[in-house]
Amino acid sequence: MAERLTRIPGVVLVSVAAAMWGLDGLIRKPLSESTSPYTIVFGEHVVLVLLTLPLLIPAMRALWAAGPRYVAAGVAVGAGASAIATILFTKALFHGDFITVVVLQQVQPLIVVIGAWFILGEHPRPGFFWYLLAGLTGIWLISLPHPLDPHVHGLTPVVETLIAATLWGLGTVLGRYLGRRLAFEHVSTVRFAFGFVAAACALPIVGAPAFASAHDSLWIAVLAIVTGFLALNLYYYGLQRTPALLAALGELAFPVTATLVGLYVFDSSLRWTQWVGVALTVTVISLLPVRRRELVRLPAGEPALVT
């Protein structure tokens, strides 16, 4: 399996993982109606830490050996992207409508572009911005039945979604940074461990229970395994061989899947403009493996984009 995955361009693996994240709302939104977001996120991290427990000590040793900057990046990815961002995303789904949350997630690629430029030294070539513009236009068309008349519902979900998108965008950049010195499985293990600590600290602050009902706990475990453990390990494996700038475009598969889930499960209809958006965004994602060498200039010392 590992040998087969090495033949696949990293950006393809990132896109597949992002598409798996799109199934998240299908489980998370119903759960948020009966269980606190803090309890959901804590429960996810309990499962994730248990699954990666054999790797915990080697991962922490590798992180410590990498130096203080990598330790800080690991804490930021775990506490920020894994715990706080997921809590805010879950709360936004509870407070607002599904589509508002998905539309505002479009901020995330812009955060990645800025962070990759300043933190990783990755520079977009001119063609990159056309891909970014086309991808964001596609997501806009998908998410809004009436794209020239957008509406958002409530200030609270807007703020929560924007902060979550910012933290997730920085998580992509810092995850790529960690992948320079850590194995992909160690990156995900570090993320889950620090996310667990942050989620556990949040429980007494807000007075949320640690565990949900047996029914909800089962679905929290499913959520953790599918969109957490499986998707994130695949994601970090691909991210080690993918510039963060390209990963930001590949991650557009997340809002595509999420919006289709939201529309079909909750609304059950798509207008012609939304189908145009689906076609446009899928085209952008599909062209990335072919055009990836033409879109990003990597810093000195980074390996060329062979796979």
Side-chain angles (χ1 to χ4, degrees):
M1 176 64 75
E3 184 178 349
R4 291 178 181 177
L5 288 178
T6 58
R7 300 173 185 172
I8 302 174
V11 69
V12 174
L13 302 179
V14 168
S15 299
V16 172
M20 294 172 67
W21 295 338
L23 303 174
D24 188 283
L26 182 62
I27 302 174
R28 192 177 300 276
K29 186 170 178 59
L31 279 175
S32 67
E33 296 175 359
S34 56
T35 302
S36 166
Y38 300 91
T39 304
I40 295 171
V41 174
F42 175 74
E44 288 180 84
H45 282 85
V46 169
V47 175
L48 293 170
V49 168
L50 288 175
L51 290 172
T52 55
L53 198 56
L55 296 173
L56 183 58
I57 293 178
M60 289 302 175
R61 284 178 176 172
L63 182 66
W64 184 260
R69 292 183 179 179
Y70 286 84
V71 173
V75 173
V77 168
S82 193
I84 297 174
T86 309
I87 288 171
L88 290 172
F89 178 75
T90 308
K91 291 181 67 178
L93 287 174
F94 179 80
H95 291 142
D97 67 297
F98 192 90
I99 300 303
T100 295
V101 174
V102 172
V103 170
L104 293 175
Q105 282 295 318
Q106 293 180 87
V107 172
Q108 185 174 335
L110 304 179
I111 299 298
V112 175
V113 170
I114 296 171
W117 191 312
F118 288 100
I119 297 175
L120 300 175
E122 297 177 4
H123 297 283
R125 298 184 188 275
F128 173 85
F129 292 104
W130 290 110
Y131 276 76
L132 179 63
L133 178 61
L136 294 182
T137 301
I139 297 302
W140 182 269
L141 293 173
I142 295 170
S143 305
L144 298 171
H146 304 282
L148 299 181
D149 187 26
H151 291 87
V152 295
H153 300 276
L155 180 61
T156 298
V158 169
V159 174
E160 290 169 341
T161 304
L162 290 177
I163 295 175
T166 300
L167 292 174
W168 274 333
L170 292 175
T172 296
V173 174
L174 295 178
R176 169 70 173 167
Y177 179 73
L178 288 170
R180 290 175 171 177
R181 298 285 296 274
L182 273 67
F184 78 92
E185 65 269 23
H186 287 170
V187 177
S188 56
T189 300
V190 165
R191 173 183 175 128
F192 300 152
F194 285 118
F196 171 79
V197 173
C201 291
L203 291 177
I205 294 175
V206 300
F211 298 102
S213 66
H215 173 272
D216 283 7
S217 294
L218 174 62
W219 284 108
I220 289 171
V222 172
L223 191 64
I225 293 170
V226 176
T227 66
F229 182 76
L230 296 178
L232 277 169
N233 275 292
L234 183 64
Y235 172 77
Y236 283 124
Y237 184 78
L239 188 61
Q240 279 196 323
R241 297 183 286 121
T242 306
L245 289 173
L246 289 183
L249 295 178
E251 288 173 22
L252 293 177
F254 161 52
V256 170
T257 310
T259 303
L260 290 175
V261 167
L263 288 168
Y264 276 114
V265 175
F266 302 117
D267 293 331
S268 301
S269 63
L270 277 176
R271 296 185 72 247
W272 69 269
T273 54
Q274 292 172 297
W275 282 117
V276 171
V278 170
L280 181 59
T281 308
V282 170
T283 299
V284 169
I285 296 170
S286 300
L287 288 174
L288 290 179
V290 180
R291 301 293 184 182
R292 62 191 187 280
R293 298 178 185 86
E294 306 169 9
L295 300 180
V296 179
R297 180 163 57 87
L298 298 174
E302 286 279 343
L305 290 175
V306 179
T307 56

